[in-house]
Amino acid sequence: MGFELGALLGKMNILSSTSDHTSVVSLNVFIVLLCICIVIGHLLEENRWMNESITALIIGVCTGVVILLISGGTSSHLLVFSEDLFFIYMLPPIIFNAGFQVKKKQFFRNFITIMLFGALGTLISFVIISLGAIGFFENMNLEPLKIGDFLAIGAIFSATDSVCTLQVLNQDETPLLYSLVFGEGVVNDATSIVIFNAVQNFDLSHVNTSVALKLIGNFIYLFITSTLLGVVAGLLSAFIIKKLYFGRHSTDREVALMMLMAYLSYMLAELFDLSAILTVFFCGIVMSHYTWHNVTESSRITTKHAFATLSFVAEIFIFLYVGMDALDIDKWKIVSDSPKTSIKVSSILLGLVLLGRAAFVFPLSLLSNLTKKSPEEKIHFKQQVTIWWAGLMRGAISMALAYNQFTRAGYTKLPGNSIMITSTITVVLFSTVVFGLMTKPLIRLLLPSPKHLSRMISSEPITPKSFIVPLLNGQDSEGDPGAHVPRPSSLRMLMTAPSHTVHYYWRKFDDAFMRPVFGGRGFVPYVPGSPTEQNDNQFH
């Protein structure tokens, strides 16, 4: 008995050491591939067709081919695709950095339009793709797909790729378009995940008006609570750093606290089943407006580059991951008996993606234009085409949701589920590579020439100075945006120029109540060698 137990423990140790060795080998390969992507991306920086996402995706596919050849056609990836790896470790730094670096003036100026596209638009796309999937796939005998699966397909393919979207436009050259495309991407991701979770949690055997209202109410609740959680986490970090002056002893503590508080906000949202994407995004916005100004100058530089670097590496890792997993031979073996069906399903899904996006971008753009008085604020047709095109790419979020719905621990033996997984992979590869390659030339063709861009370029300084610009403030930080704005004497006057009055009253509230408590622009943190007494009210 003792001998058998000793032999069993010996085998377990051998397996453990083998597993550890495999993990070390996998990590080494991934690190080498990340370095290769960075080098090639640098060399192709000026290329009119390529971008970092496409480069990483192609390298991932090529690596998958090499691994297939080495393994004799048994495996194409080093790691099994994990939704937890994506949602818990890779996505948070990307979304947080997006909120931390975003130009707040443009984002909040177009907030209503962004919500129209990101929330209502995603819902419209979900309905069209779901109805299309039901209409086309029910007659194709894709066992064992049911109504819940078809609705999940609508949520999966309504999710645009926010990682790709961030690389489509330059926020300094086209601030309006960048804020719309980027803002819609973040809200879209959150909305798609909320819809996906709702489809899985609700009883879909009796779909009626009551269920639809519950879905809408659930989304509104999740949006508000997720946003508030992110704001509270950001304000708490600002208050702690402002009151305790971490920089007097160690700037490392300041940087570490900002990173941990940001990640804590994301994990708390996951814990309470909220939208972690929205939470960490608004946490990033609040931290850039308050917390960032409370730390020492060296910490500001460090946090800016640290967040950007983590986001950059996570983006590349995701596309490498997706590219390698796309050639997983087990999934393709199951659908090899019906290649025509797989191609047909992929083509239908791609067509539904094109239709679903067009169905809301152009009508909602028209609706948004009706509320705009200034021609510069309206979304012109060429800009609408750019917005439509920029959101056609599908990526890792679609992959993660598809794996969640149609596999167990990354694997499936059911033909219908395998077809949906391989079709998702096909749509992701095609949209990212083909549409991605055409994005830069299309934007250069559609957007005005540089000499006409001067009136569109934001007056907001480039990062990191952009953090100095107050939230919702369209003027220079030294001026008072509301100093020469007449008070509206009627409702009509208020509707014709609402942005100026909102900016003005926000500045008054921010200066009077928020900054004395949470710091922000103008606050001077403790610096070794300087007097310990700080002037907390030095804002102007």
Side-chain angles (χ1 to χ4, degrees), residues 221-243:
Y221 164 77
L222 287 176
F223 182 87
I224 295 175
T225 52
S226 302
T227 301
L228 286 177
L229 178 58
V231 171
V232 169
L235 291 177
L236 182 61
S237 69
F239 182 79
I240 293 174
I241 290 178
K242 176 177 180 292
K243 291 300 180 183

Side-chain angles (χ1 to χ4, degrees), residues 9 26 31 33 52 55 92 94 163 202 264 277 286 293 333 367 459 479 483 506 521:
L9 291 174
S26 300
I31 292 172
L33 291 174
E52 219 99 37
T55 302
I94 296 173
V163 176
F202 277 79
L264 178 63
I277 291 177
V286 173
H293 295 277
K333 282 180 179 178
L367 180 62
S459 61
W506 164 253
R521 178 182 56 85

